[in-house]
């Protein structure tokens, strides 16, 4: 009898899972589909222009891991992409100048080290063998040396001659720290923890060595500084000059790095020696890239000290004259990445514009920019073949994950990789639609919309409003694994993603308008979008829900005390009490700028915009999600919110992830996150009357 029941259950399950595909219907996109996708990143064109090596990250749900492997595909696309590695976690493939070898970081030997292999994956050799491990490899153009990162004990370099890295000293200290029963942390300065890690005794340094003999690497950045400084966004923060003699890197040399965004470009001989600072801007200077002819050093720059959301500009330094020139001053958009053309006469750079990332071209001495690749998607990782006739790049959208593409000088484009085509073909995925509404001060506010499978405009649908974090960020034509709107739409919701004041991609003033006004114009912009959606014939205004993370969580907490129009809220890693947040977060430059000082310096702003002052007005059922290793928005913010909700007898639930930080990244935790999220908003949007406190 038991066998019969099991057989019937198996048959029913099989029919449920296979019938929609067999009958030509596609299944709603869900978390299971999301976890099946291969995550393509970091494409690297071979110097001979024949192949592209890249990284593919997959999800191993059973092991609760996301291993990465190196793949390769011919640029002609006549042979399918295939993996070159299959053991451990491997990433950052980098070609030698003769295209005969690929270097990469790998954990296959039990620790993360630099390895080399031939383009077919054979003849793998371990290059580094450091107690402090190695990652982030970059190869000198002459093919003799490599530059990489290692987290070392700074005092092991004291007294060392010629920048020699003392691996014996580092290993001894690692062993001592591992066996020491006392785990106390002692600090005398700020930024003692960052994002999801406590600062230990080690620092990230830039090292170099010969490819064929890395037994005695040189420490190029000795001292008690992390190099490169934690990046505020963008590509690599270190590079090697075309003559293979110099290394440029990013470092913040200010006394208190917790209150400063003043990163500068520094240079040092690749064999070690005196470090020289080559930029003098008080804002952030990052992403150094030498011109192929070696005459110039280009980088991205922010002018406003202490403001991490200032516009990213493209700046060029003449290495001979020392003259600086900002060449994108007329472009009121962020430059998110860039690349030189091989003749050093032009730049191709990526700008963020109204939810998309497009490719622009400009002469290296400035002037007008020209759009090269535009459309309803987001593009990055632009590279050229040596003859300049073919461009390699990555592209994604809100309905398609990242794949690698190529474009020819004739204007034809094609997908090189199609690693997710089979999975996506089985599911219903909707393109992003767009609306514009009039927000605060009659400013036009842009939103993206994703509709559920089988959408029928004659029917009524529950609506989920997603509020992005940052606050200086934006929703766009990009694929997400943490807040994927296709998953929410697949659960039956119309998903609306507004880009209110503070969003990037709409001009710097639009971004700046949120400063010291967190609950003001932004709230009005969002509610204007809500009003517009409420007037659509397909929306059920009695079944509205809203959710957000980080600043988006803050806005949910603010809405809790200012509107009863929603049936449910989800607050992930949301700021609740501005005063305690300012004193507990790690990047102190953030509250200093956003609220014009600390709470004891400018208490009025903190009181005006803190959701904690409006707890008596909380009525909407709320799910609180938080990672206990979140040091950006510490978990106490979520706990305080939950306490307020419970004390006000508002239906609420708190889900804490002890092993997660600001984002929920582990596969099984991600499944639970989506499950709790969808169960909560699904439960409350089924109700027709709001619960009474």
């Amino acid at each position: 009898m038991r066998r019969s029941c099991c057989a019937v259950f198996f048959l029913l399950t099989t029919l449920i899972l296979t019938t929609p595909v067999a009958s030509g219907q596609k299944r709603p996109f869900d978390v299971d589909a999301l976890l099946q996708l291969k995550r393509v990143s970091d494409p690297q064109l071979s110097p001979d222009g024949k192949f592209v090596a890249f990284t593919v990250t997959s999800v191993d749900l059973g092991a609760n891991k996301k291993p990465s492997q190196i793949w390769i595909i011919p640029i002609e696309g006549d042979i399918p992409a295939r993996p070159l590695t299959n053991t451990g976690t491997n990433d950052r493939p980098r070609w030698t100048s003769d295209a005969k070898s690929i270097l990469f970081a790998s954990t296959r030997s039990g620790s993360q080290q630099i390895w080399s292999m031939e383009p077919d994956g054979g003849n793998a050799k371990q290059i580094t063998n450091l107690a402090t491990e190695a990652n982030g490899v970059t190869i000198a153009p002459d093919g003799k040396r490599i530059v990489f990162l290692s987290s070392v004990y700074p005092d092991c370099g004291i007294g060392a001659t010629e920048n020699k890295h003392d691996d014996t000293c580092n290993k001894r200290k690692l062993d001592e720290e591992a066996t020491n029963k006392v785990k106390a942390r002692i600090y005398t300065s700020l930024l003692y923890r960052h994002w999801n890690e406590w600062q230990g005794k080690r620092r990230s340094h830039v090292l170099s060595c010969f490819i064929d003999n890395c037994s005695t690497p040189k420490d190029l950045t000795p001292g008690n500084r992390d190099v490169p400084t934690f990046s505020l966004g963008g590509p690599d923060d270190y590079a090697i000059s075309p003559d293979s003699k110099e290394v440029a890197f990013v470092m913040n040399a200010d006394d208190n790095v917790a209150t400063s965004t003043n990163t500068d470009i520094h240079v040092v001989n690749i064999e070690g020696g005196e470090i020289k600072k080559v930029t003098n801007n008080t804002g952030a200077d990052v992403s150094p890239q030498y011109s192929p002819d070696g005459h110039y050093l280009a980088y991205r720059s922010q002018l406003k000290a202490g403001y991490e959301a200032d516009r990213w500009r493209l700046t060029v330094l003449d290495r001979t004259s020392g003259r600086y020139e900002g060449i994108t001053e007329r472009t009121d958009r962020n430059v998110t990445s860039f690349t030189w053309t091989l003749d050093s006469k032009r730049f191709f750079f990526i700008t963020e514009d109204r939810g998309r990332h497009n490719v622009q071209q400009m002469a290296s001495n400035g002037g007008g920019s020209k759009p090269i690749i535009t459309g309803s998607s987001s593009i990055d990782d632009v590279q050229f073949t040596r003859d300049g006739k073919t461009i390699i790049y990555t592209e994604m959208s809100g309905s398609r994950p990242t794949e690698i593409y190529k474009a020819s000088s004739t204007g034809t484009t094609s997908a090189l990789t199609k690693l997710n085509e089979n999975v996506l073909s089985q599911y219903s995925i909707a393109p992003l639609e767009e609306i514009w509404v009039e927000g605060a001060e009659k400013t036009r506010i842009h939103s993206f919309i994703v509709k559920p499978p089988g959408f029928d405009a004659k029917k009524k649908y529950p609506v989920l409003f997603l509020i992005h974090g940052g606050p200086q960020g934006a929703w766009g034509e990009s694929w997400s694994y943490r807040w994927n709107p296709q998953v929410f739409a697949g659960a039956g919701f119309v998903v609306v993603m507004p880009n209110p004041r503070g969003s990037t991609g709409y001009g710097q003033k639009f971004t700046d308008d949120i400063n010291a006004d967190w609950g003001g114009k932004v709230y009005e912009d969002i509610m204007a979008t809500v009003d517009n959606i409420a007037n659509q014939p397909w929306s059920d205004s009695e079944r509205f829900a809203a959710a957000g993370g980080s600043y988006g969580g803050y806005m949910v907490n603010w809405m809790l005390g200012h509107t009863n129009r929603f049936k449910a809220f989800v607050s992930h890693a949301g700021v609740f009490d501005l005063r305690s947040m300012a004193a507990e977060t790690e990047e102190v430059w953030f509250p200093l700028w956003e609220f014009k000082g600390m709470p004891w310096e400018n208490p009025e702003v903190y009181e005006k915009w803190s959701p904690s002052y409006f707890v008596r007005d909380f009525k909407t059922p709320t799910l609180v999600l938080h990672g206990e290793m979140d040091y950006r928005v510490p978990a106490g913010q979520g706990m305080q919110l939950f306490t307020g909700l419970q004390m006000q007898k508002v239906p609420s639930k708190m889900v804490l992830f002890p092993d997660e930080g600001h984002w929920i990244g582990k596969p099984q935790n991600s499944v639970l996150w989506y499950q709790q999220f969808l169960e909560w908003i699904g439960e409350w949007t089924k109700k027709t009357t709001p619960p009474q406190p």
Side-chain angles (χ1 to χ4, degrees):
M1 185 67 179
R2 181 174 296 175
R3 287 183 181 177
S4 177
C5 289
C6 290
V8 172
F9 175 78
F10 177 78
L11 177 61
L12 289 174
T13 303
T14 303
L15 288 172
I16 290 171
L17 292 176
T18 60
T19 299
V21 176
S23 63
Q25 298 178 5
K26 295 185 177 183
R27 298 194 289 270
F29 193 80
D30 57 14
V31 179
D32 177 65
L34 189 69
L35 297 182
Q36 292 181 55
L37 298 176
K38 291 181 170 60
R39 308 178 186 189
V40 176
S41 64
D42 198 15
Q44 296 295 315
L45 179 64
S46 62
D48 59 11
K50 294 181 179 180
F51 296 93
V52 178
F54 57 100
T55 300
V56 175
T57 302
S58 58
V59 173
D60 185 338
L61 190 60
N64 203 27
K65 295 180 179 180
K66 293 183 289 188
S68 298
Q69 304 299 336
I70 308 299
W71 287 52
I72 194 169
I73 189 170
I75 194 171
E76 295 302 325
D78 51 344
I79 301 175
R82 64 183 183 88
L84 296 180
T85 64
N86 55 24
T87 302
T89 291
N90 309 270
D91 58 23
R92 194 181 173 87
R94 293 296 183 268
W95 293 89
T96 54
S97 57
D98 59 7
K100 293 182 178 180
S101 297
I102 299 173
L103 272 62
F104 59 103
S106 178
T107 62
R108 61 176 62 191
S109 63
S111 65
Q112 185 166 260
Q113 304 292 342
I114 307 302
W115 287 69
S116 72
M117 63 181 170
E118 295 177 354
D120 62 358
N123 197 25
K125 298 178 181 179
Q126 185 172 334
I127 294 178
T128 65
N129 187 24
L130 302 180
T132 52
E133 304 190 338
N135 64 85
V137 64
T138 294
I139 307 172
D142 65 6
K144 296 179 180 180
R145 287 182 177 269
I146 60 172
V147 167
F148 58 94
L149 305 179
S150 188
S151 183
V152 306
Y153 291 91
D155 52 351
C156 280
I158 295 176
T161 60
E162 299 180 350
N163 296 82
K164 181 180 178 181
H165 169 76
D166 190 341
D167 198 54
T168 301
C169 173
N170 277 278
K171 186 179 187 310
R172 182 178 70 252
K173 287 184 175 291
L174 280 169
D175 293 341
E176 290 172 353
E177 194 169 352
T179 57
N180 193 339
K181 302 299 183 183
V182 178
K183 303 300 180 183
R185 300 184 178 101
I186 302 173
Y187 300 100
T188 58
S189 61
L190 293 177
L191 209 64
Y192 49 84
R193 60 181 187 176
H194 206 191
W195 285 100
N196 63 351
E197 292 182 343
W198 289 89
Q199 186 183 68
K201 297 178 181 179
R202 293 193 284 166
R203 300 289 180 269
S204 174
H205 282 189
V206 179
L207 276 62
S208 73
C209 70
F210 289 104
I211 291 181
D212 57 4
N213 183 2
C214 199
S215 59
T216 56
K218 299 295 183 66
D219 187 340
L220 305 184
T221 60
N224 196 33
R225 297 280 179 180
D226 280 308
V227 182
T229 304
F230 176 81
S231 177
L232 298 177
D236 287 346
D237 280 339
Y238 50 101
I240 305 174
S241 62
D243 62 7
S244 301
K245 294 180 179 180
E246 184 179 88
V247 176
F249 60 89
V250 174
M251 181 173 70
N252 187 334
D254 282 4
D255 292 335
N256 188 355
V257 293
T259 62
S260 168
T261 61
N262 184 24
T263 55
D264 281 296
I265 311 297
H266 297 69
V267 297
V268 66
N269 189 286
I270 199 169
E271 296 182 4
E274 180 184 0
I275 293 174
K276 178 183 177 182
K277 187 175 77 167
V278 297
T279 60
N280 55 13
N281 170 40
T282 57
D285 299 314
V286 301
S287 315
Q289 282 192 44
Y290 291 91
S291 61
D293 62 12
H295 291 164
Y296 304 98
L297 181 64
Y299 55 95
R300 297 187 310 126
S301 182
Q302 293 178 324
L303 298 184
K304 296 178 182 177
Y307 187 24
E308 69 176 17
D310 189 26
R311 179 163 63 90
W312 286 108
R313 300 155 168 85
L314 186 55
T315 303
V316 178
L317 166 65
D318 186 318
R319 298 177 68 201
T320 301
S321 68
R323 181 174 175 267
Y324 303 89
E325 183 174 0
I327 68 170
T328 58
E329 288 306 307
R330 289 188 246 169
T331 304
D332 189 21
R333 294 293 186 270
N334 283 321
V335 175
T336 59
S337 66
F338 68 94
T339 187
W340 289 89
T341 56
L342 297 178
D343 59 7
S344 301
K345 294 181 179 180
R346 292 171 295 158
F347 286 107
F348 279 60
F349 60 93
I350 310 296
T351 57
E352 179 188 13
D353 182 39
R354 292 169 292 180
R356 297 165 177 83
H357 288 76
N358 297 319
V359 183
Q360 305 281 326
Q361 175 185 292
M362 178 181 286
S364 58
N365 59 357
S369 62
K370 175 184 177 182
I372 299 299
I373 305 176
T374 61
S376 58
S377 60
S378 291
I379 294 168
D380 204 357
D381 302 306
V382 175
Q383 298 163 62
F384 300 90
T385 54
R386 284 180 174 174
D387 59 11
K389 295 181 179 180
T390 305
I391 302 175
I392 299 298
Y393 60 95
T394 56
E395 183 176 346
M396 65 174 171
S397 71
S399 56
R400 289 179 291 115
T402 299
E403 296 283 2
I404 303 172
Y405 290 76
K406 71 173 181 177
S408 69
S409 56
T410 61
T412 60
T413 62
S414 60
L416 268 183
T417 62
K418 300 178 181 179
L419 299 189
N420 294 302
E421 191 172 45
N422 182 53
V423 173
L424 296 176
S425 67
Q426 303 174 47
Y427 294 90
S428 178
I429 298 178
L432 271 61
E433 301 177 23
E434 301 174 71
I435 62 168
W436 291 84
V437 305
E438 186 177 282
E441 300 175 342
K442 297 184 178 181
T443 301
R444 295 184 74 216
I445 305 302
H446 181 219
S447 298
F448 288 100
I449 298 177
V450 182
K451 293 175 179 175
F455 176 80
D456 184 347
K458 297 179 181 179
K459 296 181 179 180
K460 292 283 188 179
Y461 291 89
V463 181
L464 171 63
F465 295 85
L466 297 182
I467 305 168
H468 69 68
Q472 293 90 357
W475 297 118
E477 278 285 3
S478 57
W479 188 262
S480 170
Y481 290 95
R482 293 193 306 270
W483 288 76
N484 191 288
Q486 300 292 343
V487 173
F488 303 133
F493 291 86
V494 172
V495 182
V496 180
M497 300 178 288
N499 282 328
R501 225 61 63 91
S503 299
T504 53
Y506 302 88
Q508 191 59 40
K509 181 183 182 303
F510 192 91
T511 301
D512 294 344
D513 275 352
I514 198 174
N515 300 156
D517 188 48
W518 271 32
K521 292 185 287 293
V522 187
Y523 175 71
E524 294 180 49
D525 292 345
I526 292 172
M527 296 311 293
T529 305
V530 173
D531 289 339
N532 177 279
I533 296 299
N535 290 327
Q536 301 302 318
W538 42 259
S539 78
D540 187 346
S541 59
E542 294 299 314
R543 293 193 292 161
F544 280 4
S550 195
Y551 172 82
Y554 161 88
M555 180 48 65
V556 165
N557 300 343
W558 180 260
M559 293 162 73
L560 262 167
H562 291 82
T563 179
N564 294 320
R565 294 183 64 177
F566 297 86
K567 284 295 188 291
F569 284 136
V570 178
S571 176
H572 171 91
V575 179
F576 172 73
D577 182 76
L578 291 181
R579 289 180 61 90
S580 58
M581 166 69 179
E584 195 175 5
T585 191
E586 10 79 298
E587 295 177 351
V588 183
W589 66 73
F590 187 81
L592 285 176
W593 182 275
E594 292 296 323
F595 308 117
K596 310 307 177 188
M598 295 299 281
W600 49 88
E601 298 169 325
N602 198 6
E604 295 81 8
V605 173
Y606 284 83
E607 292 173 8
K608 182 177 182 179
W609 300 122
S610 182
S612 59
Y613 283 80
F614 302 92
V615 174
R616 290 183 179 180
D617 298 317
F618 286 9
K619 295 179 181 179
T620 306
T622 301
L623 171 65
V624 182
L625 301 164
H626 222 115
E628 292 185 33
M629 295 171 62
D630 185 354
Y631 308 139
R632 182 80 281 274
V633 180
Q637 295 292 307
M639 296 176 188
Q640 291 181 61
L641 169 63
F642 184 63
T643 297
L645 290 163
Q646 288 284 302
M647 293 300 291
Q648 288 297 106
K649 302 188 185 313
V650 177
S652 50
K653 179 193 289 188
M654 179 170 66
V655 181
L656 295 176
F657 295 88
D659 54 346
E660 298 282 8
H662 200 52
W663 302 297
I664 308 304
K666 292 183 172 63
Q668 293 180 19
N669 286 343
S670 180
V671 171
L672 178 64
W673 187 91
Y674 275 106
Q675 175 194 16
Q676 292 290 316
F677 189 117
L678 291 171
E679 284 183 357
W680 185 262
I681 60 174
E683 173 186 354
W684 294 103
T685 54
K686 291 177 183 177
K687 297 181 181 294
T688 56
T689 56
Q692 298 300 315

